[in-house]
Amino acid sequence: LSQNGMAQFQEVMRKQLEASMHKELEKLLSTTKGIEAELARKDFEGFKKIFHSFLQAKGPSVDWAKIYRPPEDLIQPYDKIKARGLPENVAESLNKLVVVKLNGGLGTSMGCKGPKSLISVRNENTFLDLTVQQIEHLNKTYNVDVPLVLMNSFNTEEDTKKILQKYAHHRLKIHTFNQSKYPRINKESLLPVAKDMSTLGENAEAWYPPGHGDIYASFRNSGLLDQLITEGKEYIFVSNIDNLGATVDLHILNHLMSQPDGKRCEFVMEVTDKTRADVKGGTLIEYDGKLRLLEIAQVPKAHVDEFKSVSKFKIFNTNNLWISLPAVRRLQEQNSVDMEIIVNPKTLDGGLNVIQLETAVGAAIKSFDNALGINVPRSRFLPVKTTSDLLLVMSNLYSLEAGSLTMSKKREFPTTPHVKLGSSFTKVHDFLTRFESIPDMLELDHLTVSGDVTFGKQVSLKGTVIIIANHGDRIDIPAGAMLENKIVSGNLRILDH
């Protein structure tokens, strides 16, 4: 075939695949009715768009030669924004704000059932408890009405709604809406693996929530976007519910509210300086004259090492975002939210290879006017993805006040220690049984623990501490022990007699 003929052949194949997919979706819709069918039809409209784009895609979506480091005025240092101070009418700005937490994830990676937001992280408080306390404190302090919105997924909706009853008498309104439900695609046939619309039994693995980029469509589909705009709300502050550093920042809010009308900044992405631990995080670049989020999945293979280097790309996306509500509505109406597709391969329990098509909320930055990056302190990025992170936030490195964690004044260095706990600590339940109490970590730089290790009460860790129990051995760190710049290995067991 000539090049032209090949292109025509590929186009025919694409159209056939798309037609087959649409037919399968109609079949799935016929297995449900009423309100559920209506919701599914809306979801499928979004899925058809993403599937169409997926079929059109050809290799990595960026031309490496067109990537530039953003000009300085497009990434402002936080100190410069803070230096402007706050106006007297902070309350006026707060009344135009909505806090949105991404609450679609399960706690499975930490060995927990149900929504991740319901894991206890500090003094019996869950991620959700801390969020509620923060916003309630804000509402009381400034006598305002900042609502909390949770974007749930079909995995987390039921458990989250049950738990919300306990906040009925708190001083904040809580709204929820659901992410879309998209069908996983058989990698070979490129058709859905689902037999019907249910998410139970053998069909449970056939569906997935399509990443947090889905917020724009599902927020609007839920009717909540229009409702909040009618109530006079102008901006949403979006963040992951497991990022304990993502609190409402009055200086960033004031910066947004004080722009002249024609120059309103519609999108702020909080970025922070990269360390060696963040090499996979998305970064901001200038591309075709606009700010754009570059994720590792979009990088051509030959340039992955360059992408990971801390010298070329010095910042990464914290996923703390401030977005204009009227702008979201405008872009949704014009169907012009442009996000790259993330193709996420998975293997189901039965061994079937599937793909799920996802998008990331920050990828839409290029669709908004006057977008801006703000380089914030690392303290605004405190995600709890593993029990190693959990150990840090449960320790005396942080003090808790009104739902917010702040680094203890007693710690002499602003950086957090580097903690690596081995596989015996992966599940929250196992982790908790291995610590009689959380050690004193104020002077700790680095902790590595591997194997069957337990900690007694009031242990103190300083400097670099490495504890390695070999296979079949066990190490019990006795109560009251103080380890400073120590390597403990082999077998250490203290027995009562």
Side-chain angles (χ1 to χ4, degrees), residues 483-495:
L483 302 177
E484 182 169 8
N485 296 327
K486 288 273 189 291
I487 296 178
V488 183
S489 68
N491 201 350
L492 173 70
R493 214 179 271 202
I494 296 183
L495 302 171

Side-chain angles (χ1 to χ4, degrees), residues 64 299-308 313:
W64 200 254
V299 176
K301 280 200 171 59
H303 297 281
V304 166
D305 286 344
E306 203 180 333
F307 173 81
K308 287 181 174 180
F313 300 107

Side-chain angles (χ1 to χ4, degrees), residues 116-135:
K116 186 172 182 185
S117 55
L118 307 184
I119 295 175
S120 283
V121 277
R122 181 83 187 217
N123 309 354
E124 303 299 307
N125 288 303
T126 64
F127 289 107
L128 189 54
D129 291 334
L130 295 177
T131 302
V132 167
Q133 287 167 29
Q134 286 165 22
I135 300 174

Side-chain angles (χ1 to χ4, degrees), residues 220-390:
R220 181 163 182 242
N221 287 345
S222 70
L224 199 51
L225 175 69
D226 288 337
Q227 182 191 325
L228 291 167
I229 291 174
T230 305
E231 287 172 16
K233 305 299 182 188
E234 288 182 23
Y235 280 95
I236 47 175
F237 171 49
V238 181
S239 63
N240 299 352
I241 199 153
D242 64 8
N243 178 7
L244 295 176
T247 55
V248 171
D249 186 281
L250 297 176
H251 297 282
I252 296 177
L253 178 64
N254 177 49
H255 178 78
L256 288 170
M257 292 297 184
S258 57
Q259 302 298 310
D261 271 352
K263 281 275 183 210
R264 263 290 164 95
C265 171
E266 294 183 342
F267 196 109
V268 160
M269 177 181 287
E270 293 185 34
V271 293
T272 194
D273 292 341
K274 239 186 198 186
T275 67
R276 301 263 169 226
D278 315 306
V279 292
K280 289 183 179 170
T283 191
L284 277 183
I285 55 170
E286 188 186 18
Y287 195 87
D288 291 342
K290 283 203 141 187
L291 266 190
R292 178 160 167 172
L293 178 66
L294 178 66
E295 299 273 14
I296 195 163
Q298 296 154 307
V299 176
K301 280 200 171 59
H303 297 281
V304 166
D305 286 344
E306 203 180 333
F307 173 81
K308 287 181 174 180
S309 94
V310 182
S311 54
K312 177 155 182 172
F313 300 107
K314 296 184 187 317
I315 52 165
F316 74 97
N317 168 27
T318 63
N319 222 35
N320 301 347
L321 309 166
W322 304 73
I323 308 172
S324 153
L325 283 171
V328 172
R329 180 158 70 181
R330 180 189 79 235
L331 291 169
Q332 279 300 118
E333 282 168 356
Q334 295 168 353
N335 190 17
S336 56
V337 176
D338 179 17
M339 293 175 283
E340 290 75 27
I341 294 165
I342 301 158
V343 180
N344 192 349
K346 298 264 178 190
T347 305
L348 303 187
D349 286 346
L352 182 70
N353 289 326
V354 297
I355 51 174
Q356 49 190 53
L357 305 175
E358 302 175 9
T359 53
V361 56
I365 187 167
K366 61 179 178 293
S367 303
F368 289 83
D369 293 340
N370 305 313
L372 187 66
I374 296 181
N375 192 347
V376 296
R378 181 75 185 200
S379 56
R380 291 191 57 73
F381 184 66
L382 188 57
V384 181
K385 303 286 182 199
T386 62
T387 49
S388 302
D389 300 330
L390 191 57

